[in-house]
């Protein structure tokens, strides 16, 4: 098989995207909401931090965070929780945040 044909038949895994969040009582419901809405995500714990990764796309839904918190939550509050992220913020509006690679 020629190289171009061989490359075309290979499957490529989606690149991981993710976020690192400060681990605290206030952020625990946010972490739980992200886990619920992104079943393929994985969590890694280190002292004071939680790293959440997912293949290709990570979604943070305002509605789910509010359910977990038991109060209203505005997506701009997410800025206070995150330490860093990897991927591109493709959408950040009043009801969801989407982190994914552009290509």
């Amino acid at each position: 098989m020629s190289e171009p044909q061989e490359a075309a038949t290979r499957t490529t895994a989606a690149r991981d995207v993710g976020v690192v969040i400060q681990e605290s009582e206030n952020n625990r419901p946010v972490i739980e909401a992200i886990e619920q809405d992104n079943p393929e995500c994985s969590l890694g714990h280190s002292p004071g931090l939680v790293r959440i990764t997912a293949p290709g796309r990570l979604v943070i839904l305002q509605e789910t965070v509010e359910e977990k918190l038991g109060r209203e939550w505005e997506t701009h509050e997410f800025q206070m929780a995150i330490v860093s992220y990897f991927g591109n913020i493709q959408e950040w509006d009043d009801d969801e945040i989407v982190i994914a690679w552009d290509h």
Side-chain angles (χ1 to χ4, degrees), residues 50 54 100:
V50 177

Side-chain angles (χ1 to χ4, degrees), residues 28-80:
R28 195 162 291 118
V30 176
I31 295 165
E32 291 172 2
I34 294 170
E35 275 188 286
Q36 178 178 320
D37 290 334
N38 299 275
E40 293 182 357
C41 77
S42 61
L43 274 66
H45 294 269
S46 59
L49 301 173
V50 177
R51 179 182 170 110
I52 305 171
T53 59
R57 185 170 199 233
L58 193 66
V59 178
I60 299 95
L61 297 175
Q62 177 190 30
E63 181 178 9
T64 308
V65 175
E66 288 180 342
E67 288 172 10
K68 299 290 183 183
L69 278 171
R71 67 167 177 84
E72 289 185 8
W73 182 79
E74 295 183 26
T75 56
H76 74 267
E77 293 179 61
F78 191 61
Q79 294 176 35
M80 300 302 293

Side-chain angles (χ1 to χ4, degrees), residues 77-96:
E77 293 179 61
F78 191 61
Q79 294 176 35
M80 300 302 293
I82 62 172
V83 175
S84 67
Y85 66 92
F86 49 102
N88 298 108
I89 295 179
Q90 290 191 331
E91 187 171 330
W92 190 314
D93 57 30
D94 291 341
D95 56 357
E96 76 176 355

